[in-house]
Amino acid sequence: MSDVPLYSTDQPSTHASRNPGKPVIPARPNHVKKSAAEKATAEVRRTQKRERNAALQHDIDMFLKDKEKLADGLASKYNLKIKKVRLMLSAALHSKQHRRVNTWNALVAHRGKELNEGRSKGDRLNLAQIQDIVRKEIDEGMHNDVDMDELRDGLNNAREIRKQGTRSSNKAAAVDYQAALSRVQEELGDLHERCGTMAFAFFTRGHIHDTIIPGWIESQGSLAFVNEILDITPAELLRKFELWACAKNHSK
C-alpha cells in the first residue's frame, strides 16, 4: 500500500481546477442579505404560497374522491375489476412527460436566462411567469427572426454540462455527492424489492484535496459478504479503497 498521506498541506485544489478541459456547472448565485422591507415582502409571499398550497391540496383531495367514483363507474360499465381500473388510471396520471429539447423549451430556457439576469433570488421569475412572457412575445411576432437551431443546440449543451460538467467548488461537489448517494441507495432498495437483487457499493474521493466523505451503501445486509468472505470489515476495505484512490491520482 502506498505511503501517500490522505491529507495534504499543499495548495488546495478542486476537481474542476484539476480538469481545466471539462466544462464547469455554473454555481448558484450567492445569497444576498435582505433588508427589513424585503424580509416582510418575502414573508407575505410565503404566507400566500402556504394558502395556495392548502387550497391546492383541498382540490386534490376532491379530485381523488371523484377519481374513485370514476373508477367505480368504469369498472361497472366495462365489467372490470376495480383494482385494474385504478391501476390504469394511475398509470395514465403518472406517465412522464417527454423533456426532449424542442423549439418551445429552448426558447423558454433562453428567455429565462435573459429575464433573470442580475435578479436576486427572491425576485427571479418562475417557470410559469417566463412561459407566459414567451407566449405573449410569440403572439407579437418578437421571435420570428431568432435562430432556433442555435437555441436548441445551446439547451442541449447546457443539459450536458449539468449532467457531466465538473462542480465549481469542493462544497458543491460534496453536496452533489450526498444527494446522488441517497438516490442510489433508494434505487438499490427498490431494485431488491422488485427483483430480489443484493448489492453494495463503496464511494470515496478521487483526490487528496477533495472533501467528499467516503462511505458505502447496501441492500439487504449485503455487506456481510465483506466480513464473511473477504475477512475484513467494511471500514477497513473503505480505508484501503480511499488510500488507493488518493495515491492513484496524487500526481494530478
Side-chain angles (χ1 to χ4, degrees):
M1 183 63 62
S2 170
D3 59 356
V4 174
L6 282 179
Y7 300 95
S8 172
T9 57
D10 297 338
Q11 185 67 27
S13 64
T14 65
H15 182 60
S17 67
R18 295 190 301 272
N19 295 272
K22 288 178 65 67
V24 177
I25 299 173
R28 293 180 180 274
N30 291 329
H31 177 71
V32 179
K33 190 174 182 180
K34 292 184 175 65
S35 64
E38 288 173 328
K39 289 180 180 178
T41 300
E43 181 58 34
V44 170
R45 288 175 177 168
R46 284 193 292 271
T47 300
Q48 292 173 339
K49 185 176 181 179
R50 285 193 293 268
E51 292 173 350
R52 286 197 306 270
N53 288 342
L56 174 60
Q57 187 59 55
H58 175 266
D59 289 343
I60 289 174
D61 292 340
M62 297 302 296
F63 166 76
L64 292 175
K65 291 180 180 178
D66 292 338
K67 175 188 166 187
E68 190 62 22
K69 293 178 182 178
L70 174 62
D72 287 334
L74 291 174
S76 299
K77 181 177 180 180
Y78 293 100
N79 194 27
L80 295 171
K81 291 183 178 180
I82 186 66
K83 184 176 180 180
K84 179 175 177 64
V85 177
R86 287 172 181 158
L87 286 173
M88 293 176 69
L89 284 173
S90 294
L93 287 171
H94 291 92
S95 59
K96 290 184 178 180
Q97 296 181 349
H98 294 292
R99 296 184 65 250
R100 293 176 182 171
V101 170
N102 55 41
T103 300
W104 167 250
N105 56 31
L107 184 57
V108 169
H110 174 71
R111 288 296 287 135
K113 185 176 181 181
E114 291 182 336
L115 292 167
N116 282 323
E117 184 71 30
R119 289 175 178 261
S120 62
K121 186 176 180 180
D123 292 329
R124 294 171 68 84
L125 301 179
N126 59 38
L127 179 59
Q129 292 172 319
I130 296 168
Q131 289 173 333
D132 286 341
I133 291 172
V134 173
R135 289 189 187 97
K136 292 176 183 176
E137 292 175 344
I138 291 175
D139 290 341
E140 296 169 2
M142 293 179 58
H143 300 295
N144 292 342
D145 298 327
V146 174
D147 187 343
M148 292 301 174
D149 287 336
E150 182 178 345
L151 293 188
R152 285 191 291 268
D153 289 342
L155 182 54
N156 271 320
N157 291 335
R159 288 184 175 185
E160 284 301 311
I161 289 174
R162 283 199 297 272
K163 286 194 297 183
Q164 297 187 349
T166 60
R167 288 297 179 184
S168 59
S169 68
N170 283 335
K171 180 180 179 181
V175 171
D176 190 350
Y177 161 74
Q178 289 294 341
L181 222 61
S182 297
R183 293 196 300 271
V184 176
Q185 175 69 77
E186 184 176 357
E187 286 294 330
L188 289 184
D190 291 344
L191 190 61
H192 170 77
E193 294 299 326
R194 295 195 306 269
C195 307
T197 58
M198 298 181 68
F200 61 80
F202 284 81
F203 300 85
T204 187
R205 53 190 176 149
H207 193 275
I208 196 170
H209 287 156
D210 292 342
T211 57
I212 286 171
I213 300 174
W216 62 69
I217 56 178
E218 63 169 331
S219 64
Q220 282 304 106
S222 300
L223 276 178
F225 169 84
V226 176
N227 291 92
E228 297 172 10
I229 305 302
L230 302 182
D231 196 24
I232 188 174
T233 67
E236 290 173 314
L237 181 57
L238 182 60
R239 175 72 171 178
K240 291 177 182 294
F241 184 33
E242 183 184 15
L243 281 167
W244 174 82
C246 289
K248 180 179 177 64
N249 297 307
H250 181 63
S251 60
K252 293 184 179 180

